[in-house]
């Protein structure tokens, strides 16, 4: 396991990342803004048009520090990674599984079971905690529908069928997500999921936070020796971290979605932190992005008891725990991949 709170987020536009000895230096207008020792970092995430020196990229690759470049809105562009030092036997088995439909399906089903189970848990908790402020009967109806979908997923025999059930479950879950927003209803609402571009404040934050979560999951997978680009549910595509997208499905609702909703309900963000473009796209301002990043790092420090390992850990370590469990399954140390089931 690696330490948390050791990812450097560079959100200021027109900055440049350089190497000075054992330190990464962030420059703006040729003036030093911050320097951080490389040995304190496991990842650097740069938003906007930030450049980086070849020397820094080389050191990041050598030290297995993930250097990711994203647009100002949080869309993934590229990731610098060094020599693969993971267990070659583990990766060879991962590739074999990816080429065998029945074995891919086994892992993909568990990931989606985790996603639907956790989405249902979010809905059930809302009924318990806010029953007087939401349409309780509607929430209970959706919860029942998701329970039925879980039974269908367990019996599915193809990846295409699984994707269909996953899409249906996501649609039902998103149909009540707007009701989870209890504050600032005039400015923050969720009618449907839209992402390219996001058309409202909530979707803008969701896209941004999903990107952060994907980066964390990809780093966890690489740490245990797996190839984050070769997935089981998401097909191979150049530049897409398919396995990270598979694994983060379990954590979308319980970690990312609840985090975004809490930002609104606790009034940590407000509508003044967003701007609407002529094409209808809603973008976050720099101060909003910085506030979200600060709270994201703090949220990863919150404690959770892992349902399978029966150990208390920080939320930020959950992706590493799940990556470790997947590696154990691929090696044959355990009988199946246990998804993270939030209770």
């Amino acid at each position: 396991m690696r330490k948390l709170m050791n990812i450097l987020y560079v959100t200021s536009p027109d900055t440049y990342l350089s190497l000075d000895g054992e330190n990464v230096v962030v420059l703006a207008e040729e003036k030093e803004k911050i320097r951080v020792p490389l040995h304190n970092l496991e990842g650097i995430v740069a938003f906007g048009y930030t450049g980086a020196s070849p020397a820094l990229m080389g050191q990041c690759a050598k030290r297995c520090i993930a250097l990711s470049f994203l647009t100002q809105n949080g869309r993934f562009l590229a990731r610098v990674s060094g020599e693969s030092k993971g267990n070659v036997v583990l990766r060879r088995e991962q590739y074999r599984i990816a080429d065998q439909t029945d074995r891919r399906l086994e892992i993909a089903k568990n990931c989606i079971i985790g996603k639907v189970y956790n989405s249902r848990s979010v809905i059930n908790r809302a009924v318990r905690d806010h029953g007087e402020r939401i349409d309780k009967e509607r929430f209970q109806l959706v919860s029942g529908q998701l329970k039925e979908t879980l039974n269908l997923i367990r019996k599915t025999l193809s990846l295409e069928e699984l994707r269909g059930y996953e899409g249906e479950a996501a649609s039902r879950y998103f149909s009540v997500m707007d009701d989870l927003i209890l504050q600032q209803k005039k400015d923050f609402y969720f009618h449907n999921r839209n992402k390219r571009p996001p058309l409202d404040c909530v979707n803008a934050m969701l896209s941004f936070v999903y990107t952060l979560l994907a980066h964390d999951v990809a780093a966890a997978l690489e740490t245990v020796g797996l190839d984050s680009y070769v997935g089981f549910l998401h097909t191979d595509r150049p530049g897409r971290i398919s396995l990270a997208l598979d694994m983060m499905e379990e954590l979308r609702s319980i970690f990312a979605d609840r985090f975004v909703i809490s930002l609104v309900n606790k009034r940590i963000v407000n509508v003044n932190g967003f701007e609407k473009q002529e094409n209808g796209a809603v973008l976050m301002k720099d101060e909003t992005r910085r506030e979200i990043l600060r709270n994201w790092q703090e949220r990863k420090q919150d404690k959770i008891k892992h349902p399978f390992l029966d150990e208390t850990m920080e939320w930020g370590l959950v992706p590493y725990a799940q990556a470790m469990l997947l590696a154990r399954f691929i090696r044959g140390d355990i009988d199946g991949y246990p998804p993270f089931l939030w209770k």
Side-chain angles (χ1 to χ4, degrees):
M1 297 291 184
R2 299 192 192 185
K3 297 177 181 178
L4 299 180
M5 300 298 288
N6 52 359
I7 297 177
L8 173 63
Y9 295 100
V10 182
T11 61
S12 301
D14 302 322
T15 55
Y16 187 77
L17 303 176
S18 67
L19 181 69
D20 182 13
E22 296 292 308
N23 304 286
V24 54
V25 180
V26 180
L27 301 171
E29 297 180 353
E30 299 185 357
K31 295 182 180 179
E32 181 178 322
K33 294 297 182 181
I34 188 176
R35 68 169 52 217
V36 181
L38 285 173
H39 69 263
N40 288 341
L41 295 174
E42 77 170 32
I44 301 173
V45 182
F47 295 90
Y49 301 101
T50 305
S53 71
L56 175 63
M57 288 190 282
Q59 277 298 310
C60 286
K62 181 179 179 180
R63 296 167 180 253
C64 294
I65 298 172
L67 174 56
S68 300
F69 296 95
L70 290 72
T71 67
Q72 199 69 31
N73 301 325
R75 184 171 64 84
F76 178 83
L77 292 174
R79 184 167 179 261
V80 175
S81 57
E83 178 184 0
S84 174
K85 297 182 180 179
N87 186 327
V88 65
V89 176
L90 174 65
R91 291 205 176 199
R92 284 174 65 88
E93 186 61 20
Q94 177 189 355
Y95 300 147
R96 291 190 189 99
I97 292 174
D99 288 335
Q100 299 174 34
T101 303
D102 57 336
R103 299 182 71 191
R104 286 177 60 191
L105 179 62
E106 180 183 1
I107 297 175
K109 279 170 63 172
N110 284 356
C111 290
I112 299 306
I113 285 172
K115 177 178 183 176
V116 178
Y117 180 97
N118 291 333
S119 297
R120 183 169 181 259
S121 293
V122 170
I123 291 173
N124 289 342
R125 178 164 291 199
V127 171
R128 187 190 71 191
D129 295 345
H130 307 290
E132 297 180 355
R133 304 182 64 181
I134 62 176
D135 187 341
K136 189 174 179 179
E137 291 185 359
R138 184 159 163 256
F139 270 65
Q140 290 174 332
L141 174 62
V142 173
S143 176
Q145 291 172 335
L146 293 181
K147 184 177 181 180
E148 292 176 4
T149 301
L150 280 171
N151 294 328
L152 293 172
I153 289 173
R154 293 186 178 98
K155 300 174 184 176
T156 189
L157 299 176
S158 72
L159 287 166
E160 291 73 20
E161 192 176 27
L162 176 63
R163 294 188 183 103
Y165 289 139
E166 185 272 334
E168 183 180 271
S171 178
R172 287 170 172 166
Y173 163 72
F174 281 139
S175 72
V176 296
M177 188 169 173
D178 185 64
D179 293 352
L180 298 175
I181 301 171
L182 304 176
Q183 303 291 335
Q184 307 185 82
K185 294 290 289 185
K186 178 182 177 181
D187 300 316
F188 291 90
Y189 48 83
F190 183 89
H191 296 155
N192 54 67
R193 179 75 178 112
N194 48 74
K195 46 190 174 182
R196 295 189 182 92
L199 302 177
D200 56 69
C201 299
V202 174
N203 271 291
M205 289 189 291
L206 284 176
S207 293
F208 183 64
V209 172
Y210 287 164
T211 300
L212 298 178
L213 179 58
H215 176 276
D216 289 348
V217 174
L221 291 166
E222 297 287 346
T223 298
V224 301
L226 289 166
D227 188 336
S228 61
Y229 290 87
V230 178
F232 305 120
L233 177 65
H234 291 81
T235 55
D236 294 346
R237 184 183 299 174
R240 182 166 77 174
I241 45 177
S242 296
L243 185 56
L245 297 179
D246 290 352
M247 299 289 290
M248 70 179 279
E249 294 291 359
E250 306 163 33
L251 303 177
R252 283 182 188 268
S253 61
I254 55 171
F255 195 39
D257 296 354
R258 291 179 71 241
F259 170 71
V260 168
I261 291 169
S262 72
L263 293 175
V264 178
N265 288 341
K266 293 180 179 179
R267 299 182 181 274
I268 295 171
V269 297
N270 61 69
V271 70
N272 295 327
F274 299 81
E275 55 186 4
K276 191 166 187 175
Q277 305 294 298
E278 291 184 1
N279 65 352
V282 175
L283 307 181
M284 293 182 294
K285 295 180 179 178
D286 286 344
E287 58 267 26
T288 300
R289 190 176 293 106
R290 286 193 292 268
E291 188 65 21
I292 291 175
L293 288 170
R294 185 181 67 80
N295 280 272
W296 176 254
Q297 291 297 77
E298 290 181 358
R299 180 62 63 90
K300 291 198 294 185
Q301 297 297 299
D302 291 347
K303 298 294 181 68
I304 182 74
K305 189 168 186 178
H306 195 285
F308 182 81
L309 298 175
D310 197 31
E311 294 181 13
T312 299
M313 63 180 64
E314 294 89 349
W315 264 109
L317 285 178
V318 170
Y320 292 90
Q322 293 306 116
M324 177 190 67
L325 290 170
L326 178 61
R328 286 183 180 178
F329 168 65
I330 291 175
R331 288 192 184 98
D333 297 336
I334 55 179
D335 294 334
Y337 166 66
F340 186 89
L341 304 178
W342 187 58
K343 299 178 182 179

